[in-house]
C-alpha cells in the first residue's frame, strides 16, 4: 500500500503532465525548446525575488518569467543578435543571478538541490490545489486560443490575413509557459522542467496524425513518465525528478523503435 506522500506526488505529477503535454507540443512545433529552458532558468531568480519580498514563490517565478520574455521581445527588435544568442545570454545570466542572490540570503535556509531538481515527494494538499487549479486555467486558456495558436504556429502571415489575433496568441503562449513553470518547479526543478514539456511531445509526434491527437498523446506520455519515474524512484531509491525525466526519455527511445512498424501498419 502506497503512503500518502507518494499518492500526493502521483496526483500532483499527473496534474502537471496533463498540462505540460499539450503545451509542449507548441514548443516542439515552434522549435522553441531553448526559449522554454530560458524561462525555466529564470524561475530560480523568481524564487530569490519571492523570498526577498516574502511572497508566494509562484508569483515571483511568474513575474520574472514574464519579465525575461518581454526583455527578449524588446532585444529582438534591435536586430543585432540572433534569437538563440539572446536566449543563451538571458538563460545563463538569470540562472547565475538567481544562484548568487540565494547565496547572499544567509538569513534564509534554502535547499538549492530541491530547487534545481525538484522535490515532488514533499507535495502537500495546498500544492495539489495550486497545481490542479493552475492546470485547469492553463488548459482552459490553451483550448480557448487553440485555433489562433495553431494558425500562428503554422504561418503567422496567413493567420494575420485571416484576422486571427496573432499578437494576443503569442502573448497567451508566453503567459502559459510562465504559469506552467511556476507551478511545476517544485515538482521536478528548474533544470528539468523543460524536459517534461519537450520529451513527451517529441514522443507523441512519432505516432500522432493530427495536432489534436498529438496533444492528447503527449499528455498521456507525460502521465506515464510520472508514474514510471516515481515507481522507479521508489524501487531503486533514486531522486524522483531525474527519475521522471529518465522515464520520459525511455518512452521516447521506445517510440523511435516502434514508430517504423506503426507507419507500416497504417499504410493501405
Amino acid at each position: 500500500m502506497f503512503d500518502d506522500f507518494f499518492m500526493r506526488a502521483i496526483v500532483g505529477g499527473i496534474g502537471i503532465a496533463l498540462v505540460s503535454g499539450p503545451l509542449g507540443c507548441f514548443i516542439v512545433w515552434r522549435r522553441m525548446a531553448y526559449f522554454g529552458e530560458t524561462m525555466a532558468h529564470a524561475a530560480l531568480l523568481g524564487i530569490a525575488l519571492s523570498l526577498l519580498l516574502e511572497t508566494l514563490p509562484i508569483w515571483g517565478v511568474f513575474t520574472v518569467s514574464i519579465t525575461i520574455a518581454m526583455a527578449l521581445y524588446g532585444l529582438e527588435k534591435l536586430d543585432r543578435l540572433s534569437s538563440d544568442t539572446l536566449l543563451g545570454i538571458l538563460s545563463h545570466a538569470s540562472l547565475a543571478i538567481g544562484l548568487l542572490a540565494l547565496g547572499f540570503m544567509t538569513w534564509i535556509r534554502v535547499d538549492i538541490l530541491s530547487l534545481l531538481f525538484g522535490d515532488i515527494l514533499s507535495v502537500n494538499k495546498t500544492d495539489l490545489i495550486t497545481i490542479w487549479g493552475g492546470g485547469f486555467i492553463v488548459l482552459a486558456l490553451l483550448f480557448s486560443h487553440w485555433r489562433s495558436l495553431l494558425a500562428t504556429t503554422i504561418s503567422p502571415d496567413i493567420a494575420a490575413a485571416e484576422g486571427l489575433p496573432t499578437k494576443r496568441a503569442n502573448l497567451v503562449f508566453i503567459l502559459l509557459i510562465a504559469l506552467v513553470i511556476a507551478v511545476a518547479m517544485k515538482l521536478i526543478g528548474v533544470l528539468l522542467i523543460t524536459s517534461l514539456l519537450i520529451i513527451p511531445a517529441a514522443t507523441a509526434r512519432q505516432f500522432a496524425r493530427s495536432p489534436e491527437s498529438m496533444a492528447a498523446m503527449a499528455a498521456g506520455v507525460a502521465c506515464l513518465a510520472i508514474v514510471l519515474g516515481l515507481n522507479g524512484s521508489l524501487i531503486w531509491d533514486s531522486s524522483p525528478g531525474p527519475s521522471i525525466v529518465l522515464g520520459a526519455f525511455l518512452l521516447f527511445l521506445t517510440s523511435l523503435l516502434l514508430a517504423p512498424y506503426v507507419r507500416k501498419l497504417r499504410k493501405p
Side-chain angles (χ1 to χ4, degrees):
M1 190 67 181
F2 295 126
D3 292 326
D4 288 342
F5 74 90
F6 189 81
M7 293 307 300
R8 286 196 299 270
I10 291 283
V11 173
I14 289 176
I16 291 297
L18 292 174
V19 175
S20 64
L23 187 60
C25 291
F26 283 98
I27 293 177
V28 170
W29 292 331
R30 295 185 177 207
R31 299 179 181 179
M32 295 178 65
Y34 208 179
F35 175 77
E37 186 176 351
T38 301
M39 297 279 277
H41 286 180
L44 195 64
L45 181 57
I47 287 292
L49 179 65
S50 65
L51 291 174
L52 184 64
L53 299 178
E54 297 182 352
T55 61
L56 291 174
I58 187 173
W59 296 118
V61 172
F62 187 74
T63 300
V64 171
S65 296
I66 294 300
T67 302
I68 292 293
M70 294 298 103
L72 175 65
Y73 180 74
L75 290 171
E76 281 183 332
K77 286 189 172 182
L78 297 178
D79 199 25
R80 296 177 183 174
L81 294 172
S82 61
S83 296
D84 60 334
T85 301
L86 291 172
L87 285 170
I89 293 171
L90 292 174
S91 173
H92 298 298
S94 58
L95 181 62
I97 295 172
L99 287 171
L100 287 173
L102 291 172
F104 283 124
M105 295 181 189
T106 54
W107 63 92
I108 300 175
R109 185 176 179 181
V110 180
D111 186 356
I112 298 294
L113 286 179
S114 68
L115 292 177
L116 295 177
F117 300 105
D119 190 12
I120 192 172
L121 296 179
S122 67
V123 170
N124 54 42
K125 293 180 179 179
T126 303
D127 293 327
L128 292 181
I129 295 173
T130 302
I131 290 168
W132 281 88
F136 178 80
I137 294 173
V138 170
L139 287 178
L141 288 171
L142 181 63
F143 290 121
S144 65
H145 292 81
W146 180 267
R147 184 168 176 266
S148 57
L149 279 170
L150 191 59
T152 305
T153 300
I154 296 172
S155 176
D157 294 333
I158 294 177
E162 291 182 355
L164 294 173
T166 56
K167 291 185 178 180
R168 187 175 67 183
N170 288 328
L171 178 60
V172 168
F173 181 63
I174 292 172
L175 291 173
L176 293 180
I177 293 177
L179 183 57
V180 168
I181 289 173
V183 173
M185 191 182 66
K186 181 175 181 178
L187 276 71
I188 58 175
V190 169
L191 298 182
L192 304 177
I193 290 174
T194 315
S195 61
L196 201 59
L197 288 165
I198 297 172
I199 299 178
T203 303
R205 194 171 193 174
Q206 306 297 321
F207 307 104
R209 307 184 74 170
S210 69
E212 291 77 14
S213 65
M214 180 172 164
M217 291 175 66
V221 171
C223 290
L224 185 55
I226 293 290
V227 175
L228 289 176
L230 285 175
N231 278 281
S233 173
L234 185 65
I235 294 171
W236 290 294
D237 194 25
S238 57
S239 180
S243 297
I244 290 171
V245 176
L246 179 59
F249 178 63
L250 292 176
L251 291 173
F252 173 70
L253 292 180
T254 303
S255 73
L256 293 180
L257 295 174
L258 294 179
Y261 299 101
V262 173
R263 293 192 188 101
K264 287 181 180 181
L265 292 174
R266 286 177 176 173
K267 288 182 178 179

